[in-house]
């Protein structure tokens, strides 16, 4: 193909040169002939110059016509040659492009060869040795870091074991606390049952003959109001007045209760006459039992512990009553005798404190329950007794019942102070005594002295016999039997209370252990998480070591095989 294209181009050029040469030759020949003829003028002077010139022109025109014909023929031949060689010229152009593309590949392979030769020049023994040392060091570091991974894995496994153990212990402690809670609930139920049994036995005792047939019943509204009042006074030790909403609640509940509660007489009490100036010990004991049982019935409904018949508490009130009489104190007109109260409380080791609620009995008058209602002067209506000339044990109990009812439900003008004294939850004992007084307008009357005792204020324990308690019963056999039941139920309640205290302590201890075990489990969990993080970090380091080692290995292999790379590049270039 290449050979034909070259010959075709030369043939066209030669044809043009030939045409020009032939044409010039003919023109030149005509000129030479003219010069030759002019040189022979000596021999041919007869020739006419004009004719000769015309002959030359004619010859020249013929030569031109001849040459023009040859030019036309050659042009046609040239056009034919061009047409005949157009395909070869296109193939030549295509092949020239292929040569250019091949040259680019050659240039790339040459560059690769140059790069391989440069790399081969850089792959000195020293550099290979340095890379080998770096690889060895990287492998040693990888071995060290792999050992660290093994150590961290061992530590992680130990932390996992520690956490599993701590978690199991925490779960066991939680279960133990749940068991103790169940035992505590059972102990609470047992105490509540014992309390219910004691209250039932106490109620049976209160209903016995010669005991407190009369009782005072309160409802939930009154109970809730008293609870709110006592809780408020506990939170505010210096307060003497409760908030208006509490006062209104007590009054609203008391308005109904004062009408619904009535004293119930006992025939044997109606037949026992009392000398107001000389009440016997047996009669005083009977009145005290009646009074304490009446209060305990109320306290039971409030959920408070019953008052005990305590000899020191009664001694306190006896001292107060005696001092009232010795001071010729008229409580109806003068109110409370503070020195008498101080003397009574000092007598039993309670200096610096005193408290008293008082009620009165005027001979011949008893409460009129048909007209019992709340009024502005905090007093109940009275009516003439059936036998005004004498005072019976029934009269005393009737008045005492009315006084207590009035203090509970009709004490707004005293800011419910008497109500709170009789229902104070912290009182454990209640002293009771009676003093006699004479008033010119009223005649002789009795004053009831009621003095609560909170053991917290006993500062001289040697003077107060807290264990000197008497049974809340009279001497009849039926009452003694009922009292025995009360005492047995009290012991059962005490035992249940002790068991409840022990169960509460066990539950508290179990909760403490539970909290400690849960804390230990949380600490172990955090330690496990830290160990896991350390293990992951160590594993990441080994991974980085492996990457570095692989890189150095590749680099070393490349350095060690640079000559081979040059040969491969040379073969690629040659190809």
């Amino acid at each position: 193909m290449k050979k034909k294209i070259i010959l075709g181009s030369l043939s066209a050029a030669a044809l043009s040169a030939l045409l020009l040469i032939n044409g010039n030759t003919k023109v030149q020949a005509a000129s030479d002939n003219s010069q030759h003829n002019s040189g022979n003028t000596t021999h041919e002077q007869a020739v006419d110059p004009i004719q000769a010139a015309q002959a030359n022109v004619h010859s020249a025109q013929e030569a031109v016509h001849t040459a023009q014909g040859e030019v036309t023929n050659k042009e046609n031949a040239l056009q034919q040659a061009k047409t005949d060689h157009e395909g070869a010229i296109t193939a030549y152009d295509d092949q020239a492009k292929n040569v250019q593309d091949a040259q680019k590949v050659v240039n790339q392979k040459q560059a690769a060869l140059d790069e391989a030769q440069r790399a081969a020049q850089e792959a000195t023994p020293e550099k290979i040795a340095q890379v080998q040392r770096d690889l060895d060091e990287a492998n040693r570091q990888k071995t060290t870091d792999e050992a660290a991974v093994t150590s961290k894995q061992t530590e992680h496994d130990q932390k996992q074991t520690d956490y599993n153990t701590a978690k199991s212990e925490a779960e066991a402690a939680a279960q133990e606390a749940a068991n103790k809670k169940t035992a505590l609930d059972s102990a609470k139920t047992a105490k509540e049952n014992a309390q219910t049994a004691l209250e039932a036995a106490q109620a049976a005792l209160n209903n016995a003959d010669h005991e407190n047939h009369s009782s005072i019943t309160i409802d939930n509204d009154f109970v809730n109001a008293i609870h709110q009042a006592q809780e408020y006074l506990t939170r505010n030790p210096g307060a003497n007045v409760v908030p208006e909403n509490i006062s209104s609640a007590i009054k609203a509940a008391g308005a109904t209760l004062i009408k619904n509660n009535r004293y119930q007489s006992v025939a044997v009490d109606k037949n026992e006459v009392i000398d107001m100036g000389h009440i016997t010990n047996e009669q005083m004991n009977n009145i005290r039992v009646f009074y304490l049982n009446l209060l305990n019935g109320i306290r039971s409904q409030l959920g408070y512990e019953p008052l005990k018949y305590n000899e020191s508490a009664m001694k306190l009130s006896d001292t107060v009553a005696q001092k009232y009489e010795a001071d010729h104190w008229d409580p109806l007109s003068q109110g409370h005798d503070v020195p008498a109260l101080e003397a009574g409380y000092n007598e039993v080791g309670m200096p610096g404190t005193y408290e008293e609620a008082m009620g009165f009995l005027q001979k011949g008058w008893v409460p009129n329950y048909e007209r019992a209602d709340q009024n502005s002067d905090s007093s109940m209506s009275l009516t003439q007794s059936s036998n005004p000339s004498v005072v019976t044990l029934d009269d005393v109990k009737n008045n005492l019942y009315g006084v207590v009812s009035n203090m509970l439900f009709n004490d707004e003008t005293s800011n419910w102070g008497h109500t709170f004294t009789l229902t104070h939850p912290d009182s454990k004992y209640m002293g009771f005594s009676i003093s006699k007084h004479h008033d010119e307008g009223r005649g002789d009357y009795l004053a009831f002295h009621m003095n609560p005792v909170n053991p917290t204020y006993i500062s001289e324990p040697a003077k107060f016999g807290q264990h000197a308690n008497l049974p809340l019963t009279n001497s009849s056999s039926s009452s003694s039997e009922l009292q025995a039941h009360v005492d047995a139920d009290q012991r059962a309640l005490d035992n249940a209370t002790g068991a409840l205290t022990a169960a509460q302590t066990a539950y508290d201890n179990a909760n403490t252990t539970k909290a400690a075990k849960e804390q230990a489990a949380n600490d172990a969990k955090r330690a496990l998480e830290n160990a896991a993080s350390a293990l992951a970090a160590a594993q990441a380091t080994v991974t980085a070591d492996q990457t570095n080692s692989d890189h150095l290995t590749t680099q070393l292999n490349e350095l060690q095989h640079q000559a081979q790379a040059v040969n491969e590049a040379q073969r690629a270039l040659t190809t």
Side-chain angles (χ1 to χ4, degrees):
M1 179 69 70
K2 185 182 297 183
K3 191 172 183 180
K4 289 182 178 181
I5 290 175
I6 293 174
L7 289 177
S9 298
L10 290 177
S11 297
L15 184 60
S16 297
L18 178 61
L19 173 62
L20 293 175
I21 291 171
N22 289 340
N24 289 334
T25 300
K26 287 184 178 289
V27 172
Q28 185 66 41
S31 177
D32 289 344
N33 186 41
S34 174
Q35 292 176 6
H36 176 73
N37 291 332
S38 64
N40 291 325
T41 56
T42 309
H43 302 286
E44 298 184 37
Q45 294 181 355
V47 177
D48 185 357
I50 295 175
Q51 291 180 345
Q54 289 177 343
N56 288 338
V57 169
H58 178 76
S59 298
Q61 287 179 340
E62 288 181 355
V64 168
H65 287 303
T66 301
Q68 185 64 48
E70 291 179 359
V71 168
T72 300
N73 293 334
K74 295 302 182 182
E75 284 178 348
N76 292 335
L78 177 61
Q79 184 63 40
Q80 183 62 46
K82 182 179 179 181
T83 301
D84 293 342
H85 291 88
E86 280 182 351
I89 292 172
T90 300
Y92 169 78
D93 292 339
D94 292 342
Q95 188 63 25
K97 184 178 183 301
N98 291 338
V99 170
Q100 291 175 353
D101 293 341
Q103 186 62 49
K104 290 181 181 178
V105 174
V106 169
N107 292 340
Q108 293 173 354
K109 299 302 181 180
Q110 183 63 55
L113 175 60
D114 294 342
E115 178 63 24
Q117 290 173 339
R118 184 194 60 76
Q121 291 173 355
E122 293 179 355
T124 63
E126 292 78 8
K127 186 171 185 179
I128 293 174
Q130 181 59 50
V131 173
Q132 182 65 59
R133 287 192 296 273
D134 292 345
L135 176 59
D136 294 341
E137 178 59 28
N139 287 333
R140 283 192 296 271
Q141 184 63 45
K142 177 172 173 286
T143 301
T144 300
D145 292 339
E146 286 175 340
V149 168
T150 301
S151 175
K152 295 299 182 183
Q153 183 66 57
T154 301
E155 182 179 356
H156 176 272
D157 294 343
Q158 182 59 50
K159 295 301 182 183
Q160 182 69 60
T161 300
D162 293 344
Y163 170 64
N164 292 341
T165 300
K167 182 180 179 183
S168 297
E169 291 178 353
E171 291 172 349
Q175 184 59 53
E176 180 66 14
N179 294 339
K180 296 302 182 183
K181 181 61 167 60
T182 300
L184 176 62
D185 292 340
S186 298
K188 287 181 179 178
T189 300
K191 181 181 182 298
E192 291 170 357
N193 292 338
Q195 182 70 50
T196 300
L198 174 62
E199 292 170 358
Q202 188 68 58
L205 177 61
N206 292 341
N207 290 328
D209 289 338
H210 300 289
E211 302 295 340
N212 186 12
H213 279 270
S214 297
S215 62
I216 295 177
T217 301
I218 57 179
D219 58 16
N220 288 335
D221 291 341
F222 187 80
V223 170
N224 292 334
I226 293 299
H227 284 170
Q228 293 177 15
Q230 296 292 2
E231 290 170 2
Y232 176 83
L233 295 174
T234 299
R235 293 194 306 270
N236 302 275
N240 295 319
V241 179
V242 296
E244 180 60 29
N245 63 314
I246 298 178
S247 176
S248 298
I250 297 174
K251 182 177 181 180
T256 300
L257 297 176
I258 198 172
K259 296 178 180 180
N260 293 343
N261 285 282
R262 303 288 183 93
Y263 172 75
Q264 302 296 321
S265 294
V266 177
V268 67
D269 291 337
K270 287 184 176 182
N271 296 327
E272 185 169 352
V273 177
I274 289 180
D275 180 355
M276 293 180 62
H278 301 88
I279 298 177
T280 66
N281 290 336
E282 183 177 0
Q283 290 171 339
M284 181 61 74
N285 179 70
N286 195 315
I287 295 170
R288 285 171 169 169
V289 169
F290 171 85
Y291 170 72
L292 290 176
N293 282 329
L294 187 62
L295 291 187
N296 283 341
I298 299 167
R299 294 175 68 84
S300 175
Q301 296 173 77
L302 289 170
Y304 300 155
E305 290 187 2
L307 300 169
K308 295 184 182 299
Y309 188 152
N310 181 269
E311 291 182 342
S312 293
M314 298 308 173
K315 179 181 178 181
L316 182 164
S317 294
D318 284 341
T319 301
V320 170
Q322 292 165 11
K323 192 71 168 62
Y324 267 76
E325 291 181 359
D327 292 342
H328 302 289
W329 194 270
D330 185 354
L332 278 174
S333 60
Q334 294 178 281
H336 297 282
D337 184 355
V338 174
L341 293 172
E342 292 176 337
Y345 278 85
N346 286 340
E347 179 74 12
V348 295
M350 299 179 67
T353 183
Y354 56 85
E355 191 172 1
E356 180 177 63
M358 283 196 303
F360 306 97
L361 168 63
Q362 185 176 356
K363 185 177 181 179
W365 294 96
V366 295
N368 181 1
Y369 296 97
E370 295 298 328
R371 296 179 56 195
D373 54 15
Q374 288 179 322
N375 52 66
S376 59
D377 61 359
S378 294
S379 64
M380 297 179 69
S381 299
L382 299 177
T383 186
Q384 191 72 35
S385 63
S386 58
N387 187 0
S389 61
V390 297
V391 174
T392 66
L393 184 59
D394 185 70
D395 293 332
V396 175
K397 291 183 178 181
N398 191 351
N399 274 266
L400 190 53
Y401 182 96
V403 166
V404 171
S405 181
N406 198 57
M407 287 181 175
L408 290 174
F409 310 129
N410 192 31
D411 196 45
E412 184 181 23
T413 56
S414 297
N415 293 318
W416 307 100
H418 299 93
T419 308
F420 303 149
T421 293
L422 298 185
T423 62
H424 199 289
D426 294 333
S427 295
K428 190 173 183 179
Y429 316 107
M430 178 73 75
F432 180 92
S433 192
I434 300 174
S435 63
K436 179 182 177 182
H437 298 278
H438 177 77
D439 180 80
E440 292 296 332
R442 300 183 180 88
D444 294 334
Y445 70 91
L446 300 179
F448 305 132
H449 301 275
M450 310 168 205
N451 307 105
V453 175
N454 181 346
T456 303
Y457 300 116
I458 300 175
S459 59
E460 301 174 22
K463 293 183 178 181
F464 198 105
Q466 293 195 51
H467 299 291
N469 301 316
L470 301 175
L472 284 172
T473 180
N474 286 318
S475 59
S476 65
S477 58
S478 60
S479 295
S480 297
E481 293 173 356
L482 292 174
Q483 184 62 50
H485 287 300
V486 171
D487 293 341
D489 289 338
Q490 182 63 59
R491 287 191 295 273
L493 176 59
D494 292 341
N495 292 336
T497 301
L500 175 59
T501 300
Q504 183 67 59
T505 300
Y507 176 61
D508 293 341
N509 292 338
N511 268 339
T512 299
T513 301
K514 172 177 173 287
K517 294 298 184 182
E518 287 175 343
Q519 182 61 48
N522 290 335
D523 293 343
K525 183 179 181 180
R526 284 192 292 271
L528 175 60
E529 291 170 349
N530 292 337
S533 296
L535 176 60
Q539 290 172 335
T541 299
V542 170
T543 300
D545 290 342
Q546 184 64 55
T547 300
N548 186 37
S549 177
D550 293 344
H551 171 71
L552 290 172
T553 298
T554 300
Q555 184 179 359
L556 181 61
N557 289 335
E558 289 175 350
L559 291 173
Q560 290 174 340
H561 297 84
Q562 290 302 330
Q564 180 180 350
V566 171
N567 293 334
E568 292 176 353
Q570 183 64 61
R571 284 195 299 272
L573 176 60
T574 302
T575 301

